[in-house]
Amino acid sequence: MTGEVINFGAGPAKLPREVLLEVQKEILNCNNHGISVMEMSHRAANYEDIHNNTISLFKELLNIPDNYKVLFMHGGGNGLFSAIPFNLMTRTGEADYIVTGTWSKIAAEEAKKYGTVNQVLTLETGKELPDQSTWNLSPKASYLYYCANETVEGFEFPFIPENIDVPIVCDMSSNIATKVFDVSKFGLIFFGVQKNLGPAGVATVIIREDLIAGSLPQCPKIFEFASIAKINSLLNTPPTFVIYVVGKVLEYIKRNGGIAEMEKLSAIKSQLVYDVIDDSEGFYTNNVHPKYRSRINVTFRIKGGLDVEKKFLKLAEEQLNMIQLKGHRLVGGIRASLYNAITVEETAKLVGFMRLFQSEYKFDVTEEKKE
């Protein structure tokens, strides 16, 4: 493949080019220490500076209150699906889960291994969330869990639940750092970094200090929030290179307008694509209720079915080097993931291709099947 690639992958996702160039420049001599960050001891002062700087940038950019800790953990999102009930179900053995798509469903199923899960609601794709006053909340719940953005279905929560009497736990793996929000409304936020913030390899937890207490007896030590918090996420060797790159990405966000600017650009990018879908007279369709359309993962189908979608994907890659536009294997179709590193200009190229594909779509589907 020649020419610049536009990577619309859902994760691991595109990283800002200037960050990659900076990492490349320092790969053999990080911060003038004469070695790569990948060779540094995780307990040495030179790595400690990188580690703590990344935490400080999180606190600054997300405006994290002083009574919260930032933890770096192993196991990714799936690991946190277990760690959360391990640590937070201790009060009552029960928790409320809102299921709006694939990842919240998996999280709820995992939590059932460790306690009672009350499924507050299950939302079918294309439906509107019922009014919060009708939610089936349990008076015995230790916490309320939801996923802010479902990457598979392209569903995004447009609000933070209000007047909840228990800590709110939120999976923000795919929309963290794309929108300004009030951390203090949550008991715990977690996210993998491989979509908006860095390469795959670390899960980040932002947790209110009063929730860092005991855990269920069967909880592995590596998943105990108290054990991780006690020694600044250095219980064992953390993914040092990943944390280093995350710090670089956070610095990039800071010098490019912060989270507020990322939110502004996110709205512009997603609206460009949704406008094409809505103006296509049914050629492109998105089945998510308009209130809950994701700004981050825009999903759509194309009139004519699978063969036409294959043609779309093939031409996008061959003509414009646009890759990883194929929808998740569970739902099919097309998915454009518009994470922070995707620019407005790159999104405009996708929009231009979508319009051109629709206007020039003249091939016969039956003929396409013969190829």
Side-chain angles (χ1 to χ4, degrees), residues 218-263:
Q218 66 268 44
C219 180
K221 190 173 183 180
I222 197 65
F223 282 165
E224 284 181 350
F225 296 150
S227 295
I228 302 298
K230 185 177 180 180
I231 49 177
N232 195 25
S233 302
L234 296 172
L235 180 64
N236 66 341
T237 308
T240 54
F241 176 74
V242 176
I243 292 168
Y244 157 79
V245 179
V246 170
K248 294 291 186 184
V249 175
L250 291 172
E251 289 171 350
Y252 163 85
I253 291 173
K254 181 178 178 179
R255 65 177 176 262
N256 283 279
I259 306 299
E261 183 64 17
M262 299 301 107
E263 180 174 7

Side-chain angles (χ1 to χ4, degrees), residues 178-285:
T178 69
K179 186 177 184 179
V180 176
F181 68 96
D182 185 353
V183 172
S184 70
K185 292 187 176 182
F186 297 90
L188 182 151
I189 297 158
F190 75 94
F191 46 90
V193 299
Q194 69 273 13
K195 300 177 187 293
N196 284 298
L197 294 170
V202 69
T204 303
V205 174
I206 301 170
I207 183 170
R208 205 171 64 217
E209 289 179 346
D210 65 289
L211 299 177
I212 303 173
S215 61
L216 298 178
Q218 66 268 44
C219 180
K221 190 173 183 180
I222 197 65
F223 282 165
E224 284 181 350
F225 296 150
S227 295
I228 302 298
K230 185 177 180 180
I231 49 177
N232 195 25
S233 302
L234 296 172
L235 180 64
N236 66 341
T237 308
T240 54
F241 176 74
V242 176
I243 292 168
Y244 157 79
V245 179
V246 170
K248 294 291 186 184
V249 175
L250 291 172
E251 289 171 350
Y252 163 85
I253 291 173
K254 181 178 178 179
R255 65 177 176 262
N256 283 279
I259 306 299
E261 183 64 17
M262 299 301 107
E263 180 174 7
K264 176 184 173 183
L265 294 174
S266 179
I268 292 170
K269 290 182 291 186
S270 57
Q271 194 59 54
L272 283 172
V273 183
Y274 285 123
D275 283 347
V276 176
I277 294 170
D278 293 339
D279 294 342
S280 70
E281 298 181 338
F283 185 78
Y284 300 113
T285 55

Side-chain angles (χ1 to χ4, degrees), residues 31-209:
N31 295 339
N32 292 318
H33 290 297
I35 60 173
S36 171
V37 65
M38 292 181 281
E39 302 171 291
M40 292 179 182
S41 166
H42 62 294
R43 303 195 187 279
N46 48 7
Y47 173 71
E48 184 180 18
D49 290 342
I50 293 169
H51 189 95
N52 291 336
N53 180 63
T54 302
I55 291 173
S56 295
L57 285 164
F58 269 125
K59 290 181 176 179
E60 177 185 356
L61 290 171
L62 297 178
N63 195 26
I64 299 173
D66 291 339
N67 62 326
Y68 283 73
K69 293 285 188 183
V70 177
L71 312 179
F72 297 132
M73 299 188 66
H74 298 277
N78 277 285
L80 266 297
F81 294 163
S82 300
I84 287 163
F86 268 142
N87 287 269
L88 301 187
M89 270 192 179
T90 53
R91 185 171 64 86
T92 66
E94 185 172 335
D96 284 338
Y97 276 71
I98 299 173
V99 175
T100 53
T102 298
W103 294 112
S104 51
K105 181 180 179 181
I106 292 173
E109 289 300 316
E110 183 66 17
K112 289 177 183 178
K113 297 178 182 178
Y114 314 111
T116 300
V117 168
N118 171 50
Q119 202 152 300
V120 174
L121 60 89
T122 301
L123 187 71
E124 295 179 21
T125 302
K127 300 296 184 181
E128 186 173 2
L129 276 171
D131 188 89
Q132 189 176 315
S133 63
T134 68
W135 292 3
N136 179 35
L137 297 169
S138 170
K140 296 181 180 179
S142 295
Y143 60 87
L144 171 67
Y145 179 106
Y146 76 99
C147 178
N149 185 76
E150 297 277 8
T151 58
V152 174
E153 293 80 9
F155 171 97
E156 186 172 14
F157 244 89
F159 61 90
I160 299 171
E162 297 284 351
N163 302 315
I164 302 297
D165 295 329
V166 296
I168 297 176
V169 174
C170 188
D171 175 359
M172 293 190 181
S173 290
S174 49
N175 67 351
I176 190 69
T178 69
K179 186 177 184 179
V180 176
F181 68 96
D182 185 353
V183 172
S184 70
K185 292 187 176 182
F186 297 90
L188 182 151
I189 297 158
F190 75 94
F191 46 90
V193 299
Q194 69 273 13
K195 300 177 187 293
N196 284 298
L197 294 170
V202 69
T204 303
V205 174
I206 301 170
I207 183 170
R208 205 171 64 217
E209 289 179 346

